[in-house]
Amino acid sequence: MLDTMKKVLTLTILCSLTLMGKAQGVLSLDSCRALALANNKDLLISNEKINAAHYQRKAAFTNYLPSISATGAYMRNQKEFSLLNDDHKAALSGLGTNLAGPIGEVATKIVTAYPDLAPLVSSLSGKLGAVLPELDKAGSSIVDAFRTDTRNVYAGAITLTQPLYMGGKIRAYNKITKYAEELAQQQHQSGKQEVIMSTDQAYWQVISLVNKKKLAEGYLKLLQQLDSDVEKMITEGVATKADGLSVRVKVNEAEMTLTKVEDGLSLARMLLCQLCGIDLSSPITLADENMNDIPLITPDTHFDMNTAYANRPEIRSLELATQIYGQKVNVTRAEYLPSIALMGNYIATNPSVFNSFENKFKGMWNVGVMVQVPIWNWGQGFYKTKAAKAEARIAQYQLQDAKEKIELQVNQAAFKVNEANKKLTMASKNMEKADENLRYAVLGFKEGVIATSNVLEAQTAWLSAQSEKIDSQIDVKLTQIYLEKSLGTLR
């Protein structure tokens, strides 16, 4: 219930952010992150993988429980099974008729041997004549009673199976599905960090280009003002046409630079819109566009690698993979161990044979224990277990290799943060010098003591210093993000 409430609340917040972003067109870094996380298709896929792994874990647990199955069958036979052969049927059907001859011969012998019994034998013979047809009927009824009538056969069974011991296979499989679910969660977390990093890169790229656009516009304005001043000086005869042409060339270059920056800014905004799931033509404005100086936070580059290992989802994923391969060894070994299961059945057939052959459904139940013991497989189980252990060792080596690479990655990220901070400090100092140089150049030009080429050089140096400062500020921001990503603390 609590998880459901959290999901509903998160969805509500994301919808609100989407509506606010579309209505106002102003997006902060946090809102861009939230929109990107909500609309990223890879994250939606990985979330479904978590759901699939969760239900697979639940399905694996059912192997501990008894299973019940039902089976039914119907079969039409060309001939019915017969318990009596044709001679037996003929003998039984003519039982009275077949006995008439032998009885008559016996009666004749008795009368011959004992003439005095002739009246009695004659009386019995008369009565026997009435009994013999009844014997024929009785024999025919016996033949009918032995009919199986198995041309139409129906059968059904309900079976209950309860595993008692499967060599540890069920327990190992449950652990595998548990680790697989956590592995899917870790992969989802890793995907979130990648999305956040991509969004931050696109966000600060837009901020960088916005500032460079302002810079290009300011530079163009300076050149246009210089061009106006030079034109007046040419009219007064204190400047040459060559000076005017030099300034106009710089003005054209500045206009081309501004056009390139505007095109790059449009593409950068489209990329950010695509990451956030917003229509590419939406006119968005970022909250940090109007900042003259981007606020920076110098991170603490003193860190514990164990913390990085604990936070990085890639390390946890490889640890889970190692555990999964360890359990696969148990699953492989269990295939070649004895297995024991309790079984119970209720079987019903028609015809039934519990009261001779009857065309009725009758059944019976039975309970038993099934034991399967592998005896000889030419070492197949041994070889497969060795192969599974080799795969488990591969996973362990991959984990160790990943830890070494992450340690190198963290140190490189920390080095880049320090380097970016130093570059920013130098760029700030250069900017101060470029501002002062430009101010002196402009004043000198107005006083007529500095040539136009020197002013152009000062303006170019100022443009370069300002551009480097913007790049250094963005570089510091991005290196901080890379460091957080390498430490696993990017949220």
Side-chain angles (χ1 to χ4, degrees):
M1 185 65 181
L2 184 60
D3 291 339
T4 304
M5 292 177 65
K6 287 182 179 179
K7 290 180 180 178
V8 172
L9 181 60
T10 302
L11 182 60
T12 303
I13 293 173
L14 293 176
C15 290
S16 300
L17 288 172
T18 303
L19 292 174
M20 288 173 62
K22 290 184 178 180
Q24 300 177 4
V26 178
L27 297 173
S28 65
L29 178 59
D30 289 337
S31 60
C32 286
R33 286 181 174 185
L35 288 170
L37 292 174
N39 293 290
N40 186 267
K41 299 300 185 293
D42 289 334
L43 290 182
L44 294 176
I45 292 172
S46 64
N47 191 59
E48 292 303 322
K49 289 182 179 179
I50 293 175
N51 294 334
H54 173 71
Y55 291 119
Q56 286 175 353
R57 180 173 65 83
K58 286 185 172 293
F61 180 78
T62 60
N63 290 324
Y64 285 115
L65 306 177
S67 62
I68 300 175
S69 62
T71 305
Y74 165 76
M75 183 169 59
R76 171 68 181 181
N77 297 313
Q78 179 187 4
K79 300 178 181 180
E80 68 177 47
F81 301 131
S82 178
L83 299 178
L84 301 175
N85 59 31
D86 293 340
D87 293 338
H88 293 157
K89 291 178 182 179
L92 289 173
S93 296
L95 181 62
T97 303
N98 294 332
L99 289 176
I103 291 175
E105 292 178 359
V106 171
T108 302
K109 291 179 180 179
I110 292 174
V111 170
T112 303
Y114 304 99
D116 296 337
L117 297 177
L120 179 59
V121 170
S122 177
S123 175
L124 291 174
S125 296
K127 294 180 179 181
L128 187 61
V131 172
L132 291 178
E134 296 299 326
L135 289 176
D136 288 341
K137 291 181 180 179
S140 297
S141 64
I142 292 173
V143 172
D144 292 338
F146 273 93
R147 284 194 60 189
T148 60
D149 194 11
T150 53
R151 289 171 297 176
N152 295 300
V153 179
Y154 304 87
I158 296 177
T159 303
L160 181 146
T161 305
Q162 172 63 61
L164 299 179
Y165 176 74
M166 306 301 290
K169 183 194 305 182
I170 296 177
R171 181 171 61 253
Y173 186 61
N174 272 268
K175 288 183 178 180
I176 288 175
T177 54
K178 178 184 175 182
Y179 296 146
E181 181 180 4
E182 189 176 350
L183 177 60
Q185 293 172 348
Q186 293 297 327
Q187 291 175 342
H188 181 72
Q189 184 62 32
S190 179
K192 288 175 65 176
Q193 291 188 356
E194 292 292 339
V195 170
I196 291 173
M197 188 173 69
S198 299
T199 304
D200 284 16
Q201 287 176 334
Y203 182 90
W204 291 113
Q205 180 67 21
V206 172
I207 299 299
S208 174
L209 291 171
V210 166
N211 282 275
K212 286 188 176 182
K213 180 184 176 184
K214 293 178 182 178
L215 178 61
E217 290 173 344
Y219 180 61
L220 178 60
K221 189 174 181 180
L222 285 174
L223 289 174
Q224 288 172 343
Q225 181 63 41
L226 180 61
D227 183 45
S228 177
D229 293 340
V230 171
E231 285 295 326
K232 292 178 182 177
M233 294 174 69
I234 292 173
T235 304
E236 295 294 331
V238 295
T240 64
K241 289 185 178 181
D243 293 332
L245 290 173
S246 299
V247 173
R248 290 192 191 98
V249 169
K250 289 292 183 180
V251 170
N252 291 335
E253 290 178 355
E255 289 175 346
M256 292 177 63
T257 300
L258 179 59
T259 301
K260 291 179 180 179
V261 171
E262 288 176 342
D263 292 342
L265 179 58
S266 298
L267 293 174
R269 289 187 191 276
M270 291 173 65
L271 174 61
L272 184 59
C273 288
Q274 188 270 329
L275 290 173
C276 295
I278 303 173
D279 187 79
L280 299 184
S281 59
S282 299
I284 62 170
T285 304
L286 303 184
D288 295 323
E289 287 185 10
N290 296 322
M291 289 185 178
N292 294 325
D293 287 320
I294 300 173
L296 303 173
I297 300 175
T298 303
D300 183 12
T301 55
H302 299 286
F303 39 79
D304 182 11
M305 286 306 304
N306 291 326
T307 303
Y309 296 151
N311 291 331
R312 285 291 292 263
E314 295 92 338
I315 293 297
R316 182 56 184 158
S317 296
L318 287 171
E319 289 175 347
L320 291 169
T322 301
Q323 292 173 325
I324 288 173
Y325 277 109
Q327 293 302 321
K328 283 186 175 181
V329 173
N330 295 333
V331 172
T332 304
R333 185 186 294 116
E335 294 288 343
Y336 302 93
L337 294 177
S339 58
I340 304 173
L342 175 67
M343 298 188 65
N345 294 280
Y346 183 82
I347 302 173
T349 61
N350 182 2
S352 62
V353 294
F354 301 105
N355 185 23
S356 186
F357 280 85
E358 294 180 301
N359 288 328
K360 296 180 181 179
F361 275 102
K362 289 186 178 181
M364 67 174 181
W365 59 265
N366 57 67
V367 177
V369 176
M370 182 182 70
V371 179
Q372 181 180 3
V373 181
I375 296 176
W376 183 250
N377 49 42
W378 302 100
Q380 183 185 52
F382 174 78
Y383 300 138
K384 285 190 174 182
T385 303
K386 286 290 186 182
K389 288 182 178 179
E391 291 178 348
R393 286 193 296 272
I394 291 173
Q396 291 175 350
Y397 296 145
Q398 289 175 339
L399 175 60
Q400 294 172 4
D401 183 58
K403 286 185 176 181
E404 293 174 358
K405 290 181 178 178
I406 285 176
E407 183 177 2
L408 177 61
Q409 187 182 55
V410 169
N411 284 291
Q412 287 177 338
F415 176 80
K416 289 181 179 179
V417 168
N418 292 329
E419 184 182 17
N421 285 326
K422 291 177 182 178
K423 287 183 178 180
L424 178 58
T425 302
M426 295 172 61
S428 299
K429 292 179 179 179
N430 290 338
M431 188 66 226
E432 293 175 0
K433 295 177 181 178
D435 282 335
E436 188 69 13
N437 183 39
L438 180 60
R439 188 174 67 84
Y440 279 120
V442 172
L443 287 174
F445 176 76
K446 290 182 179 179
E447 296 295 331
V449 297
I450 292 180
T452 305
S453 59
N454 292 335
V455 178
L456 292 175
E457 289 176 0
Q459 288 177 337
T460 302
W462 176 84
L463 176 65
S464 177
Q466 185 69 23
S467 180
E468 286 180 2
K469 183 182 177 182
I470 294 172
D471 289 338
S472 298
Q473 288 178 324
I474 298 299
D475 194 32
V476 169
K477 274 290 183 184
L478 293 178
T479 53
Q480 289 174 358
I481 295 170
Y482 298 149
L483 180 59
E484 291 178 2
K485 171 68 168 56
S486 62
L487 291 172
T489 58
L490 185 61
R491 297 288 187 272

